[in-house]
PDB file of all heavy atoms in Angstrom:
ATOM      1  N   PRO J   1      95.308  87.598  78.669  1.00 98.00           N
ATOM      2  CA  PRO J   1      95.282  86.130  78.567  1.00 98.00           C
ATOM      3  C   PRO J   1      96.228  85.453  79.558  1.00 98.00           C
ATOM      4  O   PRO J   1      95.887  84.395  80.109  1.00 98.00           O
ATOM      5  CB  PRO J   1      95.697  85.875  77.114  1.00 98.00           C
ATOM      6  CG  PRO J   1      95.216  87.081  76.379  1.00 98.00           C
ATOM      7  CD  PRO J   1      95.466  88.217  77.336  1.00 98.00           C
ATOM      8  N   GLN J   2      97.383  86.037  79.811  1.00 98.00           N
ATOM      9  CA  GLN J   2      98.307  85.458  80.793  1.00 98.00           C
ATOM     10  C   GLN J   2      97.704  85.527  82.196  1.00 98.00           C
ATOM     11  O   GLN J   2      97.888  84.605  83.009  1.00 98.00           O
ATOM     12  CB  GLN J   2      99.644  86.192  80.749  1.00 98.00           C
ATOM     13  CG  GLN J   2     100.456  85.915  79.506  1.00 98.00           C
ATOM     14  CD  GLN J   2     101.669  86.828  79.366  1.00 98.00           C
ATOM     15  OE1 GLN J   2     101.725  87.907  79.967  1.00 98.00           O
ATOM     16  NE2 GLN J   2     102.632  86.412  78.563  1.00 98.00           N
ATOM     17  N   PHE J   3      96.981  86.604  82.481  1.00 98.00           N
ATOM     18  CA  PHE J   3      96.317  86.723  83.786  1.00 98.00           C
ATOM     19  C   PHE J   3      95.265  85.626  83.954  1.00 98.00           C
ATOM     20  O   PHE J   3      95.161  85.005  85.018  1.00 98.00           O
ATOM     21  CB  PHE J   3      95.681  88.108  83.895  1.00 98.00           C
ATOM     22  CG  PHE J   3      94.930  88.355  85.174  1.00 98.00           C
ATOM     23  CD1 PHE J   3      95.587  88.393  86.399  1.00 98.00           C
ATOM     24  CD2 PHE J   3      93.559  88.564  85.158  1.00 98.00           C
ATOM     25  CE1 PHE J   3      94.889  88.633  87.581  1.00 98.00           C
ATOM     26  CE2 PHE J   3      92.851  88.799  86.330  1.00 98.00           C
ATOM     27  CZ  PHE J   3      93.527  88.838  87.539  1.00 98.00           C
ATOM     28  N   LEU J   4      94.488  85.364  82.905  1.00 98.00           N
ATOM     29  CA  LEU J   4      93.507  84.276  82.983  1.00 98.00           C
ATOM     30  C   LEU J   4      94.183  82.930  83.198  1.00 98.00           C
ATOM     31  O   LEU J   4      93.688  82.094  83.970  1.00 98.00           O
ATOM     32  CB  LEU J   4      92.650  84.238  81.721  1.00 98.00           C
ATOM     33  CG  LEU J   4      91.692  85.405  81.482  1.00 98.00           C
ATOM     34  CD1 LEU J   4      90.833  85.134  80.249  1.00 98.00           C
ATOM     35  CD2 LEU J   4      90.807  85.675  82.689  1.00 98.00           C
ATOM     36  N   ASP J   5      95.305  82.717  82.536  1.00 98.00           N
ATOM     37  CA  ASP J   5      96.045  81.466  82.744  1.00 98.00           C
ATOM     38  C   ASP J   5      96.486  81.343  84.197  1.00 98.00           C
ATOM     39  O   ASP J   5      96.441  80.248  84.781  1.00 98.00           O
ATOM     40  CB  ASP J   5      97.268  81.409  81.828  1.00 98.00           C
ATOM     41  CG  ASP J   5      96.905  81.232  80.362  1.00 98.00           C
ATOM     42  OD1 ASP J   5      95.753  80.836  80.078  1.00 98.00           O
ATOM     43  OD2 ASP J   5      97.766  81.511  79.497  1.00 98.00           O
ATOM     44  N   LYS J   6      96.901  82.471  84.783  1.00 98.00           N
ATOM     45  CA  LYS J   6      97.299  82.446  86.193  1.00 98.00           C
ATOM     46  C   LYS J   6      96.117  82.078  87.079  1.00 98.00           C
ATOM     47  O   LYS J   6      96.245  81.251  87.996  1.00 98.00           O
ATOM     48  CB  LYS J   6      97.859  83.818  86.595  1.00 98.00           C
ATOM     49  CG  LYS J   6      98.400  83.873  88.020  1.00 98.00           C
ATOM     50  CD  LYS J   6      99.642  83.003  88.158  1.00 98.00           C
ATOM     51  CE  LYS J   6     100.208  83.039  89.562  1.00 98.00           C
ATOM     52  NZ  LYS J   6     101.449  82.233  89.677  1.00 98.00           N
ATOM     53  N   LEU J   7      94.966  82.670  86.818  1.00 98.00           N
ATOM     54  CA  LEU J   7      93.782  82.356  87.618  1.00 98.00           C
ATOM     55  C   LEU J   7      93.394  80.894  87.477  1.00 98.00           C
ATOM     56  O   LEU J   7      92.932  80.274  88.440  1.00 98.00           O
ATOM     57  CB  LEU J   7      92.614  83.246  87.193  1.00 98.00           C
ATOM     58  CG  LEU J   7      92.743  84.745  87.474  1.00 98.00           C
ATOM     59  CD1 LEU J   7      91.513  85.483  86.981  1.00 98.00           C
ATOM     60  CD2 LEU J   7      92.977  85.030  88.949  1.00 98.00           C
ATOM     61  N   ASP J   8      93.581  80.332  86.302  1.00 98.00           N
ATOM     62  CA  ASP J   8      93.293  78.906  86.098  1.00 98.00           C
ATOM     63  C   ASP J   8      94.088  78.037  87.063  1.00 98.00           C
ATOM     64  O   ASP J   8      93.605  76.988  87.507  1.00 98.00           O
ATOM     65  CB  ASP J   8      93.642  78.483  84.664  1.00 98.00           C
ATOM     66  CG  ASP J   8      92.502  78.707  83.686  1.00 98.00           C
ATOM     67  OD1 ASP J   8      91.335  78.726  84.123  1.00 98.00           O
ATOM     68  OD2 ASP J   8      92.792  78.875  82.491  1.00 98.00           O
ATOM     69  N   ASN J   9      95.296  78.460  87.366  1.00 98.00           N
ATOM     70  CA  ASN J   9      96.249  77.593  88.057  1.00 98.00           C
ATOM     71  C   ASN J   9      96.346  77.826  89.556  1.00 98.00           C
ATOM     72  O   ASN J   9      97.233  77.268  90.212  1.00 98.00           O
ATOM     73  CB  ASN J   9      97.634  77.738  87.415  1.00 98.00           C
ATOM     74  CG  ASN J   9      97.671  77.184  86.005  1.00 98.00           C
ATOM     75  OD1 ASN J   9      97.102  76.136  85.734  1.00 98.00           O
ATOM     76  ND2 ASN J   9      98.308  77.900  85.091  1.00 98.00           N
ATOM     77  N   ILE J  10      95.472  78.668  90.114  1.00 98.00           N
ATOM     78  CA  ILE J  10      95.473  78.850  91.564  1.00 98.00           C
ATOM     79  C   ILE J  10      94.211  78.226  92.139  1.00 98.00           C
ATOM     80  O   ILE J  10      93.188  78.122  91.449  1.00 98.00           O
ATOM     81  CB  ILE J  10      95.605  80.337  91.971  1.00 98.00           C
ATOM     82  CG1 ILE J  10      94.449  81.166  91.391  1.00 98.00           C
ATOM     83  CG2 ILE J  10      96.945  80.901  91.519  1.00 98.00           C
ATOM     84  CD1 ILE J  10      94.508  82.617  91.798  1.00 98.00           C
ATOM     85  N   PRO J  11      94.232  77.787  93.399  1.00 98.00           N
ATOM     86  CA  PRO J  11      93.055  77.120  93.988  1.00 98.00           C
ATOM     87  C   PRO J  11      91.855  78.059  94.048  1.00 98.00           C
ATOM     88  O   PRO J  11      91.986  79.230  94.423  1.00 98.00           O
ATOM     89  CB  PRO J  11      93.539  76.738  95.390  1.00 98.00           C
ATOM     90  CG  PRO J  11      95.022  76.771  95.328  1.00 98.00           C
ATOM     91  CD  PRO J  11      95.373  77.828  94.326  1.00 98.00           C
ATOM     92  N   LYS J  12      90.687  77.514  93.716  1.00 98.00           N
ATOM     93  CA  LYS J  12      89.449  78.299  93.724  1.00 98.00           C
ATOM     94  C   LYS J  12      88.320  77.441  94.269  1.00 98.00           C
ATOM     95  O   LYS J  12      88.060  76.347  93.759  1.00 98.00           O
ATOM     96  CB  LYS J  12      89.092  78.762  92.307  1.00 98.00           C
ATOM     97  CG  LYS J  12      90.071  79.742  91.696  1.00 98.00           C
ATOM     98  CD  LYS J  12      89.757  80.049  90.250  1.00 98.00           C
ATOM     99  CE  LYS J  12      89.975  78.840  89.349  1.00 98.00           C
ATOM    100  NZ  LYS J  12      91.365  78.377  89.299  1.00 98.00           N
ATOM    101  N   GLY J  13      87.650  77.941  95.276  1.00 98.00           N
ATOM    102  CA  GLY J  13      86.461  77.272  95.781  1.00 98.00           C
ATOM    103  C   GLY J  13      85.193  77.834  95.196  1.00 98.00           C
ATOM    104  O   GLY J  13      84.090  77.379  95.507  1.00 98.00           O
ATOM    105  N   ILE J  14      85.331  78.838  94.324  1.00 98.00           N
ATOM    106  CA  ILE J  14      84.212  79.567  93.725  1.00 98.00           C
ATOM    107  C   ILE J  14      84.568  79.834  92.266  1.00 98.00           C
ATOM    108  O   ILE J  14      85.738  79.975  91.920  1.00 98.00           O
ATOM    109  CB  ILE J  14      83.962  80.880  94.500  1.00 98.00           C
ATOM    110  CG1 ILE J  14      83.255  80.582  95.826  1.00 98.00           C
ATOM    111  CG2 ILE J  14      83.157  81.887  93.695  1.00 98.00           C
ATOM    112  CD1 ILE J  14      83.013  81.793  96.688  1.00 98.00           C
ATOM    113  N   ASN J  15      83.567  79.923  91.412  1.00 98.00           N
ATOM    114  CA  ASN J  15      83.799  80.222  89.998  1.00 98.00           C
ATOM    115  C   ASN J  15      84.026  81.717  89.782  1.00 98.00           C
ATOM    116  O   ASN J  15      83.429  82.557  90.465  1.00 98.00           O
ATOM    117  CB  ASN J  15      82.597  79.785  89.158  1.00 98.00           C
ATOM    118  CG  ASN J  15      82.296  78.312  89.304  1.00 98.00           C
ATOM    119  OD1 ASN J  15      83.170  77.470  89.123  1.00 98.00           O
ATOM    120  ND2 ASN J  15      81.048  77.987  89.639  1.00 98.00           N
ATOM    121  N   LEU J  16      84.863  82.046  88.801  1.00 98.00           N
ATOM    122  CA  LEU J  16      85.167  83.429  88.450  1.00 98.00           C
ATOM    123  C   LEU J  16      84.746  83.700  87.013  1.00 98.00           C
ATOM    124  O   LEU J  16      85.169  82.984  86.095  1.00 98.00           O
ATOM    125  CB  LEU J  16      86.665  83.711  88.566  1.00 98.00           C
ATOM    126  CG  LEU J  16      87.394  83.330  89.843  1.00 98.00           C
ATOM    127  CD1 LEU J  16      88.884  83.640  89.701  1.00 98.00           C
ATOM    128  CD2 LEU J  16      86.816  84.072  91.038  1.00 98.00           C
ATOM    129  N   LEU J  17      83.937  84.724  86.798  1.00 98.00           N
ATOM    130  CA  LEU J  17      83.649  85.201  85.454  1.00 98.00           C
ATOM    131  C   LEU J  17      84.376  86.527  85.273  1.00 98.00           C
ATOM    132  O   LEU J  17      84.153  87.457  86.045  1.00 98.00           O
ATOM    133  CB  LEU J  17      82.148  85.358  85.235  1.00 98.00           C
ATOM    134  CG  LEU J  17      81.736  85.730  83.807  1.00 98.00           C
ATOM    135  CD1 LEU J  17      80.487  84.977  83.383  1.00 98.00           C
ATOM    136  CD2 LEU J  17      81.491  87.233  83.669  1.00 98.00           C
ATOM    137  N   PRO J  18      85.276  86.630  84.277  1.00 98.00           N
ATOM    138  CA  PRO J  18      86.168  87.799  84.202  1.00 98.00           C
ATOM    139  C   PRO J  18      85.731  88.862  83.201  1.00 98.00           C
ATOM    140  O   PRO J  18      85.404  88.561  82.054  1.00 98.00           O
ATOM    141  CB  PRO J  18      87.487  87.161  83.753  1.00 98.00           C
ATOM    142  CG  PRO J  18      87.067  86.000  82.889  1.00 98.00           C
ATOM    143  CD  PRO J  18      85.718  85.536  83.399  1.00 98.00           C
ATOM    144  N   TYR J  19      85.734  90.115  83.631  1.00 98.00           N
ATOM    145  CA  TYR J  19      85.604  91.264  82.743  1.00 98.00           C
ATOM    146  C   TYR J  19      86.975  91.919  82.570  1.00 98.00           C
ATOM    147  O   TYR J  19      87.818  91.860  83.470  1.00 98.00           O
ATOM    148  CB  TYR J  19      84.646  92.300  83.327  1.00 98.00           C
ATOM    149  CG  TYR J  19      83.184  91.957  83.252  1.00 98.00           C
ATOM    150  CD1 TYR J  19      82.266  92.644  84.022  1.00 98.00           C
ATOM    151  CD2 TYR J  19      82.703  90.969  82.402  1.00 98.00           C
ATOM    152  CE1 TYR J  19      80.903  92.350  83.969  1.00 98.00           C
ATOM    153  CE2 TYR J  19      81.355  90.667  82.331  1.00 98.00           C
ATOM    154  CZ  TYR J  19      80.460  91.357  83.120  1.00 98.00           C
ATOM    155  OH  TYR J  19      79.120  91.057  83.054  1.00 98.00           O
ATOM    156  N   VAL J  20      87.173  92.595  81.442  1.00 98.00           N
ATOM    157  CA  VAL J  20      88.400  93.352  81.208  1.00 98.00           C
ATOM    158  C   VAL J  20      88.210  94.748  81.784  1.00 98.00           C
ATOM    159  O   VAL J  20      87.324  95.493  81.340  1.00 98.00           O
ATOM    160  CB  VAL J  20      88.724  93.448  79.709  1.00 98.00           C
ATOM    161  CG1 VAL J  20      89.972  94.296  79.486  1.00 98.00           C
ATOM    162  CG2 VAL J  20      88.920  92.048  79.118  1.00 98.00           C
ATOM    163  N   PRO J  21      89.003  95.135  82.774  1.00 98.00           N
ATOM    164  CA  PRO J  21      88.832  96.450  83.392  1.00 98.00           C
ATOM    165  C   PRO J  21      89.561  97.538  82.600  1.00 98.00           C
ATOM    166  O   PRO J  21      90.685  97.348  82.137  1.00 98.00           O
ATOM    167  CB  PRO J  21      89.452  96.265  84.781  1.00 98.00           C
ATOM    168  CG  PRO J  21      90.470  95.171  84.597  1.00 98.00           C
ATOM    169  CD  PRO J  21      89.986  94.296  83.480  1.00 98.00           C
ATOM    170  N   MET J  22      88.905  98.687  82.460  1.00 98.00           N
ATOM    171  CA  MET J  22      89.462  99.754  81.631  1.00 98.00           C
ATOM    172  C   MET J  22      90.612 100.501  82.296  1.00 98.00           C
ATOM    173  O   MET J  22      91.454 101.082  81.604  1.00 98.00           O
ATOM    174  CB  MET J  22      88.361 100.754  81.259  1.00 98.00           C
ATOM    175  CG  MET J  22      87.435 100.259  80.161  1.00 98.00           C
ATOM    176  SD  MET J  22      88.292  99.803  78.624  1.00 98.00           S
ATOM    177  CE  MET J  22      89.043 101.364  78.164  1.00 98.00           C
ATOM    178  N   ASN J  23      90.682 100.518  83.631  1.00 98.00           N
ATOM    179  CA  ASN J  23      91.761 101.259  84.283  1.00 98.00           C
ATOM    180  C   ASN J  23      93.143 100.731  83.886  1.00 98.00           C
ATOM    181  O   ASN J  23      93.989 101.495  83.406  1.00 98.00           O
ATOM    182  CB  ASN J  23      91.566 101.232  85.801  1.00 98.00           C
ATOM    183  CG  ASN J  23      92.710 101.861  86.557  1.00 98.00           C
ATOM    184  OD1 ASN J  23      93.681 101.192  86.889  1.00 98.00           O
ATOM    185  ND2 ASN J  23      92.623 103.148  86.822  1.00 98.00           N
ATOM    186  N   PRO J  24      93.421  99.445  84.036  1.00 98.00           N
ATOM    187  CA  PRO J  24      94.734  98.967  83.597  1.00 98.00           C
ATOM    188  C   PRO J  24      94.893  99.005  82.082  1.00 98.00           C
ATOM    189  O   PRO J  24      96.013  99.194  81.588  1.00 98.00           O
ATOM    190  CB  PRO J  24      94.799  97.533  84.132  1.00 98.00           C
ATOM    191  CG  PRO J  24      93.397  97.138  84.376  1.00 98.00           C
ATOM    192  CD  PRO J  24      92.660  98.385  84.727  1.00 98.00           C
ATOM    193  N   LEU J  25      93.807  98.853  81.337  1.00 98.00           N
ATOM    194  CA  LEU J  25      93.912  98.904  79.878  1.00 98.00           C
ATOM    195  C   LEU J  25      94.342 100.294  79.415  1.00 98.00           C
ATOM    196  O   LEU J  25      95.247 100.440  78.571  1.00 98.00           O
ATOM    197  CB  LEU J  25      92.576  98.506  79.256  1.00 98.00           C
ATOM    198  CG  LEU J  25      92.462  98.534  77.727  1.00 98.00           C
ATOM    199  CD1 LEU J  25      93.579  97.753  77.074  1.00 98.00           C
ATOM    200  CD2 LEU J  25      91.110  98.009  77.288  1.00 98.00           C
ATOM    201  N   LEU J  26      93.722 101.325  79.956  1.00 98.00           N
ATOM    202  CA  LEU J  26      94.132 102.695  79.624  1.00 98.00           C
ATOM    203  C   LEU J  26      95.578 102.943  80.019  1.00 98.00           C
ATOM    204  O   LEU J  26      96.359 103.533  79.259  1.00 98.00           O
ATOM    205  CB  LEU J  26      93.225 103.701  80.331  1.00 98.00           C
ATOM    206  CG  LEU J  26      91.794 103.841  79.827  1.00 98.00           C
ATOM    207  CD1 LEU J  26      90.949 104.598  80.840  1.00 98.00           C
ATOM    208  CD2 LEU J  26      91.772 104.569  78.481  1.00 98.00           C
ATOM    209  N   GLY J  27      95.950 102.514  81.226  1.00 98.00           N
ATOM    210  CA  GLY J  27      97.312 102.733  81.701  1.00 98.00           C
ATOM    211  C   GLY J  27      98.342 101.986  80.885  1.00 98.00           C
ATOM    212  O   GLY J  27      99.452 102.483  80.655  1.00 98.00           O
ATOM    213  N   TYR J  28      97.985 100.797  80.431  1.00 98.00           N
ATOM    214  CA  TYR J  28      98.922  99.982  79.647  1.00 98.00           C
ATOM    215  C   TYR J  28      99.199 100.628  78.296  1.00 98.00           C
ATOM    216  O   TYR J  28     100.349 100.667  77.830  1.00 98.00           O
ATOM    217  CB  TYR J  28      98.337  98.585  79.454  1.00 98.00           C
ATOM    218  CG  TYR J  28      99.277  97.601  78.801  1.00 98.00           C
ATOM    219  CD1 TYR J  28     100.211  96.897  79.561  1.00 98.00           C
ATOM    220  CD2 TYR J  28      99.221  97.352  77.433  1.00 98.00           C
ATOM    221  CE1 TYR J  28     101.071  95.984  78.974  1.00 98.00           C
ATOM    222  CE2 TYR J  28     100.070  96.447  76.830  1.00 98.00           C
ATOM    223  CZ  TYR J  28     100.995  95.763  77.607  1.00 98.00           C
ATOM    224  OH  TYR J  28     101.847  94.866  77.015  1.00 98.00           O
ATOM    225  N   VAL J  29      98.168 101.155  77.656  1.00 98.00           N
ATOM    226  CA  VAL J  29      98.312 101.716  76.315  1.00 98.00           C
ATOM    227  C   VAL J  29      98.878 103.127  76.351  1.00 98.00           C
ATOM    228  O   VAL J  29      99.779 103.477  75.574  1.00 98.00           O
ATOM    229  CB  VAL J  29      96.956 101.699  75.581  1.00 98.00           C
ATOM    230  CG1 VAL J  29      97.037 102.454  74.260  1.00 98.00           C
ATOM    231  CG2 VAL J  29      96.508 100.266  75.346  1.00 98.00           C
ATOM    232  N   MET J  30      98.377 103.955  77.237  1.00 98.00           N
ATOM    233  CA  MET J  30      98.738 105.377  77.243  1.00 98.00           C
ATOM    234  C   MET J  30      99.836 105.708  78.242  1.00 98.00           C
ATOM    235  O   MET J  30     100.435 106.800  78.163  1.00 98.00           O
ATOM    236  CB  MET J  30      97.502 106.215  77.580  1.00 98.00           C
ATOM    237  CG  MET J  30      96.348 106.060  76.619  1.00 98.00           C
ATOM    238  SD  MET J  30      94.874 107.000  77.131  1.00 98.00           S
ATOM    239  CE  MET J  30      95.454 108.692  76.895  1.00 98.00           C
ATOM    240  N   GLY J  31     100.116 104.805  79.187  1.00 97.00           N
ATOM    241  CA  GLY J  31     100.951 105.140  80.327  1.00 97.00           C
ATOM    242  C   GLY J  31     100.057 105.626  81.453  1.00 97.00           C
ATOM    243  O   GLY J  31      99.105 106.393  81.201  1.00 97.00           O
ATOM    244  N   ILE J  32     100.317 105.190  82.667  1.00 96.00           N
ATOM    245  CA  ILE J  32      99.401 105.490  83.768  1.00 96.00           C
ATOM    246  C   ILE J  32      99.241 106.982  83.973  1.00 96.00           C
ATOM    247  O   ILE J  32      98.112 107.504  84.043  1.00 96.00           O
ATOM    248  CB  ILE J  32      99.879 104.795  85.057  1.00 96.00           C
ATOM    249  CG1 ILE J  32      99.753 103.274  84.905  1.00 96.00           C
ATOM    250  CG2 ILE J  32      99.058 105.273  86.261  1.00 96.00           C
ATOM    251  CD1 ILE J  32     100.304 102.486  86.062  1.00 96.00           C
ATOM    252  N   ASP J  33     100.352 107.702  84.060  1.00 95.00           N
ATOM    253  CA  ASP J  33     100.257 109.148  84.312  1.00 95.00           C
ATOM    254  C   ASP J  33      99.565 109.867  83.159  1.00 95.00           C
ATOM    255  O   ASP J  33      98.722 110.749  83.377  1.00 95.00           O
ATOM    256  CB  ASP J  33     101.645 109.734  84.551  1.00 95.00           C
ATOM    257  CG  ASP J  33     102.263 109.277  85.860  1.00 95.00           C
ATOM    258  OD1 ASP J  33     101.502 108.903  86.778  1.00 95.00           O
ATOM    259  OD2 ASP J  33     103.501 109.285  85.975  1.00 95.00           O
ATOM    260  N   GLU J  34      99.907 109.487  81.936  1.00 97.00           N
ATOM    261  CA  GLU J  34      99.306 110.146  80.779  1.00 97.00           C
ATOM    262  C   GLU J  34      97.812 109.853  80.698  1.00 97.00           C
ATOM    263  O   GLU J  34      97.006 110.726  80.325  1.00 97.00           O
ATOM    264  CB  GLU J  34     100.007 109.684  79.501  1.00 97.00           C
ATOM    265  CG  GLU J  34      99.528 110.359  78.236  1.00 97.00           C
ATOM    266  CD  GLU J  34      99.877 111.844  78.148  1.00 97.00           C
ATOM    267  OE1 GLU J  34     100.733 112.303  78.958  1.00 97.00           O
ATOM    268  OE2 GLU J  34      99.292 112.550  77.306  1.00 97.00           O
ATOM    269  N   SER J  35      97.419 108.637  81.070  1.00 98.00           N
ATOM    270  CA  SER J  35      95.999 108.281  80.992  1.00 98.00           C
ATOM    271  C   SER J  35      95.165 109.051  81.997  1.00 98.00           C
ATOM    272  O   SER J  35      93.940 109.112  81.864  1.00 98.00           O
ATOM    273  CB  SER J  35      95.818 106.774  81.216  1.00 98.00           C
ATOM    274  OG  SER J  35      96.076 106.408  82.560  1.00 98.00           O
ATOM    275  N   LYS J  36      95.821 109.641  82.998  1.00 97.00           N
ATOM    276  CA  LYS J  36      95.101 110.401  84.024  1.00 97.00           C
ATOM    277  C   LYS J  36      94.987 111.884  83.676  1.00 97.00           C
ATOM    278  O   LYS J  36      94.369 112.644  84.420  1.00 97.00           O
ATOM    279  CB  LYS J  36      95.798 110.230  85.381  1.00 97.00           C
ATOM    280  CG  LYS J  36      95.602 108.839  85.978  1.00 97.00           C
ATOM    281  CD  LYS J  36      96.554 108.568  87.133  1.00 97.00           C
ATOM    282  CE  LYS J  36      96.370 109.500  88.288  1.00 97.00           C
ATOM    283  NZ  LYS J  36      95.111 109.220  89.016  1.00 97.00           N
ATOM    284  N   THR J  37      95.578 112.307  82.542  1.00 96.00           N
ATOM    285  CA  THR J  37      95.488 113.720  82.167  1.00 96.00           C
ATOM    286  C   THR J  37      94.141 114.069  81.561  1.00 96.00           C
ATOM    287  O   THR J  37      93.778 115.249  81.488  1.00 96.00           O
ATOM    288  CB  THR J  37      96.586 114.076  81.152  1.00 96.00           C
ATOM    289  OG1 THR J  37      96.364 113.341  79.929  1.00 96.00           O
ATOM    290  CG2 THR J  37      97.971 113.745  81.699  1.00 96.00           C
ATOM    291  N   GLY J  38      93.421 113.062  81.092  1.00 95.00           N
ATOM    292  CA  GLY J  38      92.124 113.320  80.480  1.00 95.00           C
ATOM    293  C   GLY J  38      92.180 113.636  79.006  1.00 95.00           C
ATOM    294  O   GLY J  38      91.158 113.996  78.415  1.00 95.00           O
ATOM    295  N   ARG J  39      93.347 113.477  78.384  1.00 97.00           N
ATOM    296  CA  ARG J  39      93.399 113.751  76.948  1.00 97.00           C
ATOM    297  C   ARG J  39      92.732 112.615  76.171  1.00 97.00           C
ATOM    298  O   ARG J  39      92.645 111.485  76.636  1.00 97.00           O
ATOM    299  CB  ARG J  39      94.833 113.942  76.478  1.00 97.00           C
ATOM    300  CG  ARG J  39      95.657 112.679  76.343  1.00 97.00           C
ATOM    301  CD  ARG J  39      96.882 112.919  75.467  1.00 97.00           C
ATOM    302  NE  ARG J  39      97.785 111.774  75.456  1.00 97.00           N
ATOM    303  CZ  ARG J  39      97.639 110.714  74.664  1.00 97.00           C
ATOM    304  NH1 ARG J  39      96.595 110.619  73.851  1.00 97.00           N
ATOM    305  NH2 ARG J  39      98.515 109.720  74.709  1.00 97.00           N
ATOM    306  N   MET J  40      92.275 112.946  74.987  1.00 98.00           N
ATOM    307  CA  MET J  40      91.664 111.950  74.116  1.00 98.00           C
ATOM    308  C   MET J  40      92.737 111.003  73.586  1.00 98.00           C
ATOM    309  O   MET J  40      93.782 111.452  73.105  1.00 98.00           O
ATOM    310  CB  MET J  40      90.967 112.629  72.944  1.00 98.00           C
ATOM    311  CG  MET J  40      90.358 111.662  71.940  1.00 98.00           C
ATOM    312  SD  MET J  40      88.833 110.924  72.524  1.00 98.00           S
ATOM    313  CE  MET J  40      87.729 112.330  72.309  1.00 98.00           C
TER     314      MET J  40
END
């Protein structure tokens, strides 16, 4: 949500529709290195 707020406040000549990407989500929850081990 803070990232979306940031996008709101920067100049845009085009519209943005946002998806939540799984790479940073996995890294945020599990830790980047741990998320790359392939464990469940």
Side-chain angles (χ1 to χ4, degrees):
Q2 289 170 339
F3 178 65
L4 292 185
D5 290 343
K6 184 67 180 182
L7 293 179
D8 273 335
N9 293 319
I10 59 178
K12 294 174 292 297
I14 284 178
N15 302 307
L16 309 177
L17 185 140
Y19 285 164
V20 177
M22 283 303 299
N23 174 272
L25 178 52
L26 288 166
Y28 187 85
V29 172
M30 300 176 69
I32 293 175
D33 291 336
E34 183 68 14
S35 70
K36 288 166 62 71
T37 65
R39 76 162 173 84
M40 177 76 75

